[in-house]
Amino acid sequence: MTDTLRADGRTPQQTRPVAIERGWSAQAEGSALISFGGTKVLCTASFTPGVPRWLTGKGTGWVTAEYSMLPRSTNERMQRESIKGRVGGRTHEISRLIGRSLRAVIDTKALGENTIVIDCDVLQADGGTRTASITGAYVALVDAIEWARERGFIAKRAQPLTDSVAAISVGIVDGVPLTDLAYVEDSRAETDMNVVVTGSGDFVEVQGTAEGAPFKRSELDALLDLALVSTTELAELQRDALAEGR
Amino acid sequence: MTDTLRADGRTPQQTRPVAIERGWSAQAEGSALISFGGTKVLCTASFTPGVPRWLTGKGTGWVTAEYSMLPRSTNERMQRESIKGRVGGRTHEISRLIGRSLRAVIDTKALGENTIVIDCDVLQADGGTRTASITGAYVALVDAIEWARERGFIAKRAQPLTDSVAAISVGIVDGVPLTDLAYVEDSRAETDMNVVVTGSGDFVEVQGTAEGAPFKRSELDALLDLALVSTTELAELQRDALAEGR
Amino acid sequence: MTDTLRADGRTPQQTRPVAIERGWSAQAEGSALISFGGTKVLCTASFTPGVPRWLTGKGTGWVTAEYSMLPRSTNERMQRESIKGRVGGRTHEISRLIGRSLRAVIDTKALGENTIVIDCDVLQADGGTRTASITGAYVALVDAIEWARERGFIAKRAQPLTDSVAAISVGIVDGVPLTDLAYVEDSRAETDMNVVVTGSGDFVEVQGTAEGAPFKRSELDALLDLALVSTTELAELQRDALAEGR
Amino acid sequence: MTDTLRADGRTPQQTRPVAIERGWSAQAEGSALISFGGTKVLCTASFTPGVPRWLTGKGTGWVTAEYSMLPRSTNERMQRESIKGRVGGRTHEISRLIGRSLRAVIDTKALGENTIVIDCDVLQADGGTRTASITGAYVALVDAIEWARERGFIAKRAQPLTDSVAAISVGIVDGVPLTDLAYVEDSRAETDMNVVVTGSGDFVEVQGTAEGAPFKRSELDALLDLALVSTTELAELQRDALAEGR
Amino acid sequence: MTDTLRADGRTPQQTRPVAIERGWSAQAEGSALISFGGTKVLCTASFTPGVPRWLTGKGTGWVTAEYSMLPRSTNERMQRESIKGRVGGRTHEISRLIGRSLRAVIDTKALGENTIVIDCDVLQADGGTRTASITGAYVALVDAIEWARERGFIAKRAQPLTDSVAAISVGIVDGVPLTDLAYVEDSRAETDMNVVVTGSGDFVEVQGTAEGAPFKRSELDALLDLALVSTTELAELQRDALAEGR
Amino acid sequence: MTDTLRADGRTPQQTRPVAIERGWSAQAEGSALISFGGTKVLCTASFTPGVPRWLTGKGTGWVTAEYSMLPRSTNERMQRESIKGRVGGRTHEISRLIGRSLRAVIDTKALGENTIVIDCDVLQADGGTRTASITGAYVALVDAIEWARERGFIAKRAQPLTDSVAAISVGIVDGVPLTDLAYVEDSRAETDMNVVVTGSGDFVEVQGTAEGAPFKRSELDALLDLALVSTTELAELQRDALAEGR
């Protein structure tokens, strides 16, 4: 019975309810408040003409990302990294992952010498915050590019976006492959995998980790199958959110 | 004509629409998402039994606060303080102000050896973020205390709260005293004053700064009058928010 | 009897002996060693032609301040902030207050594109270090401007100083408003207020904090009256110090 | 012709010459200087009885790792992270990867309340430093465990090691899957994958990144096949190194 | 003619006027404001019962020192190390030198499990700040030990001080060995040597540096001779200062 | 009997076996892996055209050095300074010493506007790491200068090197002056002295410290004699290493 398998009654193939509140921020050039069940991430895209010095004059743009969690987004309060005076390894790692994932669908030549900084701030965390961040960040990114095009910073005909991108966490819990792990599932998973996939179904990142026992090739294959189903659904939700007028 | 005075058509004595979304966070012991027009602050209260080492065994509790702004809460993106590796002077100053303001209405003996940390994270900024933080933090604080009382961490009869507390920014713009300054007003103000007032109408903090020319005693008096009117209204809104069931 | 009220036998309206040793430093363009009883602060003003990059070309100057306490200026030794690797909230807050207070009497256009950095280093602390810093810093500032005028960095006719500025701490102890709180008084005060006032008697900063119980409007008024009397006396002492040849 | 494919004349399936100089350090409980062609990493394992405070009394041990590059291990000198005052994202990420990889073959119960810290310091870098680190670290880890067993810190019959672990980087260059990428190959790779595999042939980590275009499922499969061949060879080299007397 | 040799008319063997204002600080257990001409250093000694954790239970005390310069002690303002967020190499080096020099005349067993922290803050710098610090610190140290003895923290008969200690900078300028280099001399010196000597005339530290050309054995010998003459004079000045009642 | 005096059977005048593996690094412009018995230091010299901004246009070059120890170069593992977030006092002090020592034999005018950074990374530590660093760094420096000359960055006829430089640690153990102290000797030494000497036999640095009791002039003289013998031998070893083809 699947209802005993997953605390919230989902089937193994079923993601939590996903909502994308596009244009949440009145300040940013692009933004989305995305939720996967109890996980809520505010994604903003900040557009600025020009690029960092090391890129100047090369005719290419720059997209980067920063991820952070509010101190009480989690069940127990965490110390702020600004107070600690240093950004932790996990934060760095996820920020870099989000940046790489978005750059995989960006033609930096077409973007021109412009910079887009994506901020993904986790307001509430219940598993899958990095994959929710990537999925929401894409929507914010699209709107920031559109904003810049309307104001002439990006040429009318330029196509900086080559595809869409979304991500999901999948894992094996009690021997069963499950998609979109909630926090309680994630902490019990034997194997945990974050998969970033384009709208065309190609892989951008595949990160599988044996939390408990090492995993077999067949398990890896089952998880990738599951991830592709979920990211196809997420790509559709992104399209729907972007279809509405801002 | 007052409608030419304030861009949003308010009278000098009128605050922006204030909304208090109590219990916004599913994780924190107390929380409120408070908005003053375009200013939105997520306030969470984290309760933990026990106190920092320097207070242990003294029979008193501890309430402290941390304030922070999301990098793109403002019109231009700011660098994260976690990336800079140090918390700026303004952030420190506001965190300390919020903490002092809340402690002014707390009987730390009645709180017992318990700690409450208030986090005020500005999701969107349009002036008055520190006073909105104090006003929202009070609501989160009340709920965290209630949460602890229900679980026996605070004695049933103990009354840790001695009063309510709310805050407003007032200032003189083009010679006219105005309440609840929006960002565009704040940046034009000759004098800027943050006033923290209890439900009983006594002062907790009065911080007046001459941004342009030094100000006269009569101007100071007019601003205090204005602040007391607004904080009386805010105290009522807090009571209303807390009157509803959680 | 007032002699039981104040440990040092002062009347409520009486400041401690104030001494201003102008030109203490042989290195700085302006300097003053100021003492309020046991509180001793070395104030230096460093003049440099040019302004920070963000001000270049705007035709205005810059005045800023840094406050610090020697580790053994206090009764118990404090850790150095250089060793901790970060400047504390209180230090930042006071540095910002001193800077704002001085800028309130500076016409930055008349100063031209020049920078003056004020350093206030507390050699010995017995209450009122921030207000002593402001009062002494003004004297150092005047001399640094004069130094620059003599060397042609500031035009002969330019009047960068629009007024003088001095500050005092006042507070309510055992229900009685007192001026110039010594450390033992400050730590017992129910309400503590730092007031920065120009030579003309207008306010630059009013910072009142309820250390114990919130305070009433009438108490606020009494403290402001007291502060104005003391700052008038301090303005006179500043004039006297500056009247002598350097 | 494969000799035009790879600058050093290797076939796609061929790793560079791998050498493991076991017991290089006279100080550490276990150590190995491992080289993959021009990549040289000094791996040391430091054994200490006891565990960090958060693990005390749980009856389990702790294995962690730190990775670092000498400033002139690379073709252009890099600034030291100690001088910058912060450890970069890439360093953190690799340190965490090495630690997770080793813990995947450790039974922390059998290790007892003991800590092993692995240091992987890159003396010379020519691609694949993180996978060389994992492969060398395993050898150092085995010796540190043996050292501790001989001195009675680990019970004679305890088996803290459940398997061996080795790692390889594979990637697609000009459409051809290649194993053990040298630096010049790595920087041209369209897809880059680090694969950590146990002696039994199960996966511990699979990290694939599209450096250029997103990659297809079939490409992913080809890379995994290649990685398994190489890690099988590496496992044998590890066995050989450990077979000799220390 | 020697008067053309040294700008202030001193002979090569003559130190600048040295003044020791013992007990300058009302807060510290021991203190001295020492001046060598334009160099002024405030030395305080802070006594606390108990020792750092790593010394607890060993029956020995601890003496350590921290050196710092006020930002405008020098001719051009330096940035504060607290603002930079790190203590510079020179500061560390001098702090360590002062600590070692004082410990050379301390019997830590006789001191008992007590800690004395010496702070040497340079108020004005004109060369020789480190050697002035050592010379002044000794006086502060003596008084802190006396303070502790009077209060019973140190046994009446214990003799923690085994000797006195003083220091001088000597150097070769234009081929002539000179004692007590002022800043203008120091910056022209070919060889610079700091020598720390006990009251009995033995060496505690000898630090000679070729600023320009390497120096000969005969030059080294001449500098040591000169240093011993000056430190003998300083030891007498220390005795005189300590002979007066506090 | 000297064999009871020194654990490794050396005579007081005898250094440990010294080996200089020139050109160890395939990446750096100059390099040497130097060992003094169990002390092993990897020295690399990185050449870059141009100088730091504060030297630009002055026609002189810049040579600087950084020293660091691998965390497990010592008998007990030390925390990495990159993890601590700050470079310790000892590290700073030694880095500065190495830089000064090398600059003493460099004619910076002849070097032209070029920068050479020396990195001395201690792979294994058994006493005398700073003096081994200086001795090995000189060899790396020579090769980096030769590398630059061959490529035309330094004029063919320019002679940036004015002499060679080597260093040794000497000390008094149980009353006997010994050269090249191993770690066990160093920790027992009453007096410890690091001496840096040119190939011509002149002093660059003399740093003597009384670890236990202050030392006499006669002891100082004996140590200097001993140091000069050893540095003469080291200078010959450097010449031999440099005589072979790279």
Side-chain angles (χ1 to χ4, degrees), chain A residues 195-209:
Chain A
V195 187
V196 185
V197 183
T198 63
S200 327
D202 290 335
F203 294 108
V204 169
E205 289 267 342
V206 172
Q207 297 195 338
T209 299

mmCIF file of all heavy atoms in Angstrom, chain A residues 195-209:
data_model
loop_
_atom_site.group_PDB
_atom_site.id
_atom_site.type_symbol
_atom_site.label_atom_id
_atom_site.label_comp_id
_atom_site.label_asym_id
_atom_site.label_seq_id
_atom_site.Cartn_x
_atom_site.Cartn_y
_atom_site.Cartn_z
ATOM 1 N N VAL A 195 18.685 15.442 -10.024
ATOM 2 C CA VAL A 195 18.799 15.351 -11.471
ATOM 3 C C VAL A 195 18.268 16.644 -12.082
ATOM 4 O O VAL A 195 17.158 17.077 -11.767
ATOM 5 C CB VAL A 195 18.019 14.136 -12.013
ATOM 6 C CG1 VAL A 195 18.284 13.944 -13.502
ATOM 7 C CG2 VAL A 195 18.413 12.873 -11.252
ATOM 8 N N VAL A 196 19.086 17.253 -12.940
ATOM 9 C CA VAL A 196 18.706 18.495 -13.599
ATOM 10 C C VAL A 196 18.547 18.191 -15.087
ATOM 11 O O VAL A 196 19.468 17.635 -15.703
ATOM 12 C CB VAL A 196 19.777 19.587 -13.388
ATOM 13 C CG1 VAL A 196 19.326 20.907 -13.977
ATOM 14 C CG2 VAL A 196 20.127 19.730 -11.909
ATOM 15 N N VAL A 197 17.384 18.501 -15.628
ATOM 16 C CA VAL A 197 17.043 18.044 -16.980
ATOM 17 C C VAL A 197 16.496 19.218 -17.791
ATOM 18 O O VAL A 197 15.763 20.058 -17.271
ATOM 19 C CB VAL A 197 15.983 16.914 -16.908
ATOM 20 C CG1 VAL A 197 15.666 16.378 -18.297
ATOM 21 C CG2 VAL A 197 16.471 15.790 -16.006
ATOM 22 N N THR A 198 16.855 19.282 -19.055
ATOM 23 C CA THR A 198 16.312 20.340 -19.920
ATOM 24 C C THR A 198 14.896 19.984 -20.365
ATOM 25 O O THR A 198 14.440 18.837 -20.218
ATOM 26 C CB THR A 198 17.174 20.488 -21.185
ATOM 27 O OG1 THR A 198 17.097 19.259 -21.926
ATOM 28 C CG2 THR A 198 18.617 20.796 -20.856
ATOM 29 N N GLY A 199 14.225 20.961 -20.953
ATOM 30 C CA GLY A 199 12.892 20.730 -21.503
ATOM 31 C C GLY A 199 12.896 19.651 -22.576
ATOM 32 O O GLY A 199 11.894 18.931 -22.760
ATOM 33 N N SER A 200 14.022 19.489 -23.274
ATOM 34 C CA SER A 200 14.137 18.451 -24.307
ATOM 35 C C SER A 200 14.446 17.079 -23.726
ATOM 36 O O SER A 200 14.558 16.102 -24.482
ATOM 37 C CB SER A 200 15.278 18.781 -25.277
ATOM 38 O OG SER A 200 15.439 20.147 -25.462
ATOM 39 N N GLY A 201 14.653 16.991 -22.429
ATOM 40 C CA GLY A 201 14.895 15.693 -21.815
ATOM 41 C C GLY A 201 16.348 15.269 -21.748
ATOM 42 O O GLY A 201 16.638 14.103 -21.458
ATOM 43 N N ASP A 202 17.284 16.201 -21.982
ATOM 44 C CA ASP A 202 18.700 15.861 -21.820
ATOM 45 C C ASP A 202 19.167 16.245 -20.417
ATOM 46 O O ASP A 202 18.581 17.111 -19.766
ATOM 47 C CB ASP A 202 19.554 16.576 -22.874
ATOM 48 C CG ASP A 202 19.298 16.011 -24.267
ATOM 49 O OD1 ASP A 202 18.885 14.840 -24.359
ATOM 50 O OD2 ASP A 202 19.480 16.764 -25.243
ATOM 51 N N PHE A 203 20.248 15.591 -19.994
ATOM 52 C CA PHE A 203 20.735 15.831 -18.640
ATOM 53 C C PHE A 203 21.677 17.032 -18.585
ATOM 54 O O PHE A 203 22.530 17.207 -19.448
ATOM 55 C CB PHE A 203 21.511 14.619 -18.119
ATOM 56 C CG PHE A 203 20.661 13.407 -17.944
ATOM 57 C CD1 PHE A 203 20.779 12.322 -18.807
ATOM 58 C CD2 PHE A 203 19.717 13.348 -16.926
ATOM 59 C CE1 PHE A 203 19.990 11.201 -18.649
ATOM 60 C CE2 PHE A 203 18.925 12.214 -16.754
ATOM 61 C CZ PHE A 203 19.057 11.140 -17.634
ATOM 62 N N VAL A 204 21.538 17.816 -17.535
ATOM 63 C CA VAL A 204 22.463 18.906 -17.265
ATOM 64 C C VAL A 204 23.379 18.512 -16.099
ATOM 65 O O VAL A 204 24.572 18.747 -16.125
ATOM 66 C CB VAL A 204 21.698 20.206 -16.947
ATOM 67 C CG1 VAL A 204 22.626 21.257 -16.401
ATOM 68 C CG2 VAL A 204 20.979 20.701 -18.198
ATOM 69 N N GLU A 205 22.783 17.905 -15.097
ATOM 70 C CA GLU A 205 23.541 17.424 -13.943
ATOM 71 C C GLU A 205 22.903 16.137 -13.443
ATOM 72 O O GLU A 205 21.664 16.031 -13.392
ATOM 73 C CB GLU A 205 23.488 18.427 -12.767
ATOM 74 C CG GLU A 205 24.256 19.685 -12.960
ATOM 75 C CD GLU A 205 25.683 19.634 -12.421
ATOM 76 O OE1 GLU A 205 25.982 18.754 -11.602
ATOM 77 O OE2 GLU A 205 26.489 20.485 -12.840
ATOM 78 N N VAL A 206 23.740 15.223 -13.063
ATOM 79 C CA VAL A 206 23.274 14.003 -12.407
ATOM 80 C C VAL A 206 24.170 13.843 -11.189
ATOM 81 O O VAL A 206 25.380 13.685 -11.333
ATOM 82 C CB VAL A 206 23.432 12.782 -13.339
ATOM 83 C CG1 VAL A 206 23.124 11.490 -12.597
ATOM 84 C CG2 VAL A 206 22.538 12.927 -14.559
ATOM 85 N N GLN A 207 23.595 13.955 -10.011
ATOM 86 C CA GLN A 207 24.389 13.834 -8.787
ATOM 87 C C GLN A 207 23.773 12.785 -7.888
ATOM 88 O O GLN A 207 22.780 13.048 -7.211
ATOM 89 C CB GLN A 207 24.447 15.163 -8.038
ATOM 90 C CG GLN A 207 25.123 16.271 -8.802
ATOM 91 C CD GLN A 207 25.465 17.435 -7.907
ATOM 92 O OE1 GLN A 207 24.860 17.603 -6.846
ATOM 93 N NE2 GLN A 207 26.430 18.244 -8.327
ATOM 94 N N GLY A 208 24.385 11.598 -7.901
ATOM 95 C CA GLY A 208 23.860 10.524 -7.061
ATOM 96 C C GLY A 208 24.821 10.215 -5.944
ATOM 97 O O GLY A 208 26.026 10.132 -6.172
ATOM 98 N N THR A 209 24.288 10.051 -4.754
ATOM 99 C CA THR A 209 25.114 9.811 -3.577
ATOM 100 C C THR A 209 24.562 8.631 -2.797
ATOM 101 O O THR A 209 23.364 8.587 -2.513
ATOM 102 C CB THR A 209 25.104 11.051 -2.667
ATOM 103 O OG1 THR A 209 25.637 12.144 -3.395
ATOM 104 C CG2 THR A 209 25.910 10.832 -1.408
#
